[in-house]
Amino acid sequence: RDRSPSRGLGDVYKRQDRLTRLVNDVLDLSKIDALQMTIENIPLHINEVVTSAFNKFKMALDKEIDLQLSISQELNPFRTGDPIRLTQIINNLLSNALKFTHQGTVKVILSGNEKSIKLVVSDTGIGIPKDKLQSIFEPFKQADNSTTRSYGGTGLGLAICSSLTELMHGSLRVFSEEGVGTEFIFQVPLPVTAMTIDLSLIHI
């Protein structure tokens, strides 16, 4: 058994990271429940928001999974919305897809029109039983107890995605088949803005 100091430190950092994410998730849900969560409405570049989140997962990927990103060339990327909360939703959806996919493909597809954007995150993972599809959006819920034991996680990510989507007046749908995979479809009003954006100032 490897008991090297570097391995021990790595485990400590991972536990600290999980604890930090748990605390932040609980705080976010508390703000949402208390109606204290504010959604910003500022100029953003949606291609940059999605690509930045995608690339972080791509660089950290430690599985033999084909992680793909497709952005519609017809999409006007200059939008008005909340880049921080959009990034939070994208991160949670991607993290969820990669966690439950052992092999195959995870795809991210971004498209939209002048008034809204659509983000599809699909995977070839373990899938979700039909009778559990809606409960996954409830806090501290996963498909079942064995999923929690096998894969870990707080069960808060999708609940936060659902709540943030509602605050943005959007929709979040899920389609899944056990043993085949899962697809999340996130749609939110994100109107085109006439303002220009200095991309060098974007730090997501």
Side-chain angles (χ1 to χ4, degrees):
R1 190 183 293 181
D2 184 1
R3 297 183 180 273
S4 63
S6 60
R7 181 181 178 85
L9 284 174
D11 291 340
V12 170
Y13 290 141
K14 287 180 180 179
R15 286 196 292 270
Q16 288 178 338
D17 182 60
R18 285 196 293 267
L19 180 58
T20 300
R21 282 188 281 119
L22 173 60
V23 171
N24 289 336
D25 285 348
V26 170
L27 289 174
D28 281 341
L29 274 182
S30 298
K31 287 180 181 179
I32 293 170
D33 290 341
L35 303 179
Q36 294 180 346
M37 176 68 74
T38 301
I39 300 298
E40 288 193 308
N41 196 33
I42 61 176
L44 60 88
H45 193 286
I46 189 59
N47 291 14
E48 278 293 316
V49 172
V50 174
T51 300
S52 178
F54 176 87
N55 285 340
K56 288 179 181 178
F57 281 93
K58 187 80 171 179
M59 289 187 292
L61 191 62
D62 58 357
K63 300 179 180 180
E64 292 296 324
I65 294 175
D66 185 16
L67 184 54
Q68 303 176 3
L69 172 62
S70 174
I71 299 177
S72 171
Q73 293 184 352
E74 299 177 357
L75 180 68
N76 187 332
F78 296 99
R79 303 281 169 158
T80 302
D82 190 328
I84 300 300
R85 297 307 171 187
L86 286 167
T87 298
Q88 191 172 7
I89 291 172
I90 297 165
N91 284 343
N92 278 324
L93 293 179
L94 257 175
S95 175
N96 191 76
L98 289 168
K99 181 195 299 183
F100 296 110
T101 303
H102 299 294
Q103 60 183 4
T105 305
V106 171
K107 295 180 182 179
V108 179
I109 302 174
L110 176 64
S111 61
N113 54 37
E114 296 297 294
K115 296 182 179 179
S116 65
I117 61 104
K118 179 170 76 171
L119 186 81
V120 178
V121 179
S122 62
D123 64 63
T124 57
I126 63 174
I128 306 168
K130 288 184 178 180
D131 62 337
K132 303 292 185 181
L133 279 177
Q134 292 310 310
S135 66
I136 63 173
F137 293 114
E138 298 174 14
F140 301 105
K141 287 289 185 70
Q142 291 188 344
D144 55 43
N145 291 332
S146 63
T147 299
T148 304
R149 288 193 298 269
S150 300
Y151 295 91
T154 64
L156 291 176
L158 291 179
I160 290 174
C161 285
S162 179
S163 296
L164 289 177
T165 300
E166 187 174 346
L167 287 175
M168 294 178 182
H169 306 290
S171 65
L172 179 60
R173 294 174 290 157
V174 58
F175 302 91
S176 187
E177 184 177 346
E178 283 189 273
V180 176
T182 302
E183 179 179 85
F184 285 91
I185 302 176
F186 168 64
Q187 291 180 278
V188 65
L190 217 65
V192 170
T193 178
M195 298 180 65
T196 57
I197 303 172
D198 184 352
L199 297 183
S200 66
L201 300 178
I202 296 178
H203 299 286
I204 299 299

